[in-house]
Amino acid sequence: MDTLILEPSLYTVKAVLIMDNDGERMYAKYYDDTYPTVKEQKAFEKNIFNKTHRTDSEIALLEGLTVVYKSNIDLYFYVIGSSHENELMLMSVLNCLFDSLSQMLRKNVEKRALLENMEGLFLAVDEIVDGGVILESDPQQVVHRVALRGDDVPLTEQTVTQVLQSAKEQIKWSLLR
């Protein structure tokens, strides 16, 4: 009897997804080409949502992949790995992401708050997973690094609101002199 021996790999995460309570994509980052087109990704996401949004469990096997998930108010968080991936590792990524966002959004993890803080979400996911490799599982470290990276945003990447706010403060200080 031949048994398939899999080489250990650091590439544990295949995707990180966040969907709203209608199953619409709010955030999706795929780390390999299991679903190379947006059409395939959306079909996969719809399938995941349909299979998980009415259940209370935290794990599913779907299309040959391990899916760990968590819901909160009007959001569904998913971390996807291969079928032979350690569920605890995937769950540590999911918990780290959720706990980091919970701290960053002051425990207000819901759709509107997340939409207003998408840059924080992007930075947090980049701190937790890079190219499918898990980098960090401590939410305190993630929040700290996101805060550091958010402070030194170059002028070209600042939002118009941030630039206007900065200009207002400079004008106010120049008038007070």
Side-chain angles (χ1 to χ4, degrees), residues 35-157:
Y35 300 99
T37 67
V38 173
K39 185 178 179 184
E40 289 173 293
Q41 291 173 1
K42 293 266 189 172
F44 173 66
E45 291 163 18
K46 183 176 183 184
N47 191 11
I48 282 183
F49 183 76
N50 289 337
K51 296 265 193 289
T52 61
H53 81 282
R54 283 189 228 99
T55 63
D56 288 334
S57 62
E58 298 176 328
I59 186 167
L61 289 170
L62 191 67
E63 297 184 22
L65 298 170
T66 303
V67 179
V68 294
Y69 58 97
K70 172 182 242 164
S71 66
N72 188 61
I73 305 173
D74 56 359
L75 294 174
Y76 290 82
F77 297 81
Y78 298 91
V79 175
I80 292 118
S82 65
S83 60
H84 60 270
E85 203 50 67
N86 183 331
E87 296 87 0
L88 295 175
M89 292 290 287
L90 297 174
M91 196 54 106
S92 74
V93 171
L94 179 66
N95 289 333
C96 181
L97 174 62
F98 184 83
D99 294 346
S100 299
L101 288 174
S102 183
Q103 286 180 41
M104 290 161 47
L105 301 174
R106 294 173 180 80
K107 306 248 184 277
N108 188 23
V109 183
E110 49 91 27
K111 184 176 178 177
R112 198 171 121 251
L114 188 65
L115 285 172
E116 292 171 358
N117 293 282
M118 288 300 280
E119 70 280 351
L121 167 64
F122 290 124
L123 291 171
V125 172
D126 287 346
E127 289 295 334
I128 299 167
V129 181
D130 183 29
V133 178
I134 300 170
L135 299 178
E136 185 62 70
S137 61
D138 178 7
Q140 299 291 342
Q141 287 295 320
V142 172
V143 170
H144 177 70
R145 288 192 191 125
V146 166
L148 287 177
R149 285 175 66 182
D151 289 344
D152 61 333
V153 177
L155 187 62
T156 56
E157 293 182 19

